[in-house]
Amino acid sequence: MAENQPPPPPPPEWVITLNTPIPTKPKSNIIPDPPGYTAIASSSGKRSAVSKQSARTPPTAEETDTLKLKKSWELALAPAKQLPMNAIMMYMSGNSLQIFSIMMVFMLFMNPIKGLIGINQAFERFETDSIRSRLWSVKAVYVLMQLAALGLGVWKVNGMGLLPTTRSDWLAWETPRRPLEQAIFAF
């Protein structure tokens, strides 16, 4: 009975295309490789030559210090990049006393205060003996940006009417004026 069975049907076309490798296109010598591209060769001799060419030299101390200084400037200017977003959010939240606007103002005050308290922890990964003197200006800019964020919070609190800036806010400490004359009603 085994002899009478027909041969199995051929596999579907998708199985054949899935199992066949993608044909490689011949490389055109007209278009050069982009900068930084290294072709992986099939022979081991070419691979070792390519790996020897791409061996990276470690950066010098000056290059590392320059990179650390650039990264510290990015960190110092990060609060300034958040100021426009925070200003738009404060403007859109309105001046009424609602839970949303109160929480927004709370976060607006909390983040700069946290940043001012943790300034040394923020910059300790960049500190080395060679750039310690140049980090003072970076830290000063960071403090100014955090103070600008606090100023935005003060502007919002003033807009909400929570700052005592008018004379009527201090009436409890004022002595009442004594009138020069008194009028008494006659019946």
Side-chain angles (χ1 to χ4, degrees):
M1 280 200 197
E3 298 170 8
N4 293 339
Q5 287 183 353
E13 184 68 31
W14 65 270
V15 173
I16 296 171
T17 57
L18 183 67
N19 292 332
T20 57
I22 298 172
T24 59
K25 296 179 182 177
K27 184 179 174 186
S28 172
N29 290 334
I30 299 170
I31 303 172
D33 287 336
Y37 175 76
T38 55
I40 299 174
S42 60
S43 66
S44 63
K46 287 186 178 180
R47 277 191 192 160
S48 63
V50 168
S51 65
K52 287 179 184 176
Q53 289 176 355
S54 64
R56 187 170 170 244
T57 59
T60 63
E62 286 181 22
E63 292 173 342
T64 305
D65 289 344
T66 304
L67 182 63
K68 284 184 178 183
L69 199 59
K70 281 183 182 179
K71 291 295 181 183
S72 65
W73 274 109
E74 287 178 16
L75 180 66
L77 295 175
K81 294 176 183 175
Q82 295 173 359
L83 282 177
M85 177 193 64
N86 284 337
I88 291 171
M89 286 173 44
M90 292 300 117
Y91 175 74
M92 296 302 260
S93 67
N95 289 336
S96 60
L97 291 175
Q98 298 173 358
I99 189 70
F100 180 73
S101 59
I102 292 172
M103 291 304 293
M104 295 281 287
V105 169
F106 175 73
M107 292 300 290
L108 190 62
F109 278 110
M110 187 183 69
N111 291 334
I113 290 173
K114 275 182 166 179
L116 289 172
I117 291 172
I119 188 168
N120 288 329
Q121 288 81 19
F123 286 98
E124 75 179 335
R125 61 183 171 174
F126 303 119
E127 282 199 34
T128 58
D129 292 332
S130 58
I131 65 169
R132 184 166 289 142
S133 62
R134 289 185 277 174
L135 273 180
W136 285 104
S137 61
V138 176
K139 288 181 181 181
V141 169
Y142 182 76
V143 168
L144 287 175
M145 295 303 123
Q146 296 292 5
L147 290 176
L150 281 175
L152 184 64
V154 169
W155 168 77
K156 179 63 178 175
V157 170
N158 185 37
M160 293 172 76
L162 297 177
L163 285 183
T165 55
T166 62
R167 185 173 176 200
S168 62
D169 294 327
W170 303 98
L171 285 180
W173 290 278
E174 260 187 36
T175 58
R177 290 185 2 191
R178 300 189 55 86
L180 297 175
E181 298 178 1
Q182 287 187 343
I184 299 175
F185 294 106
F187 299 96

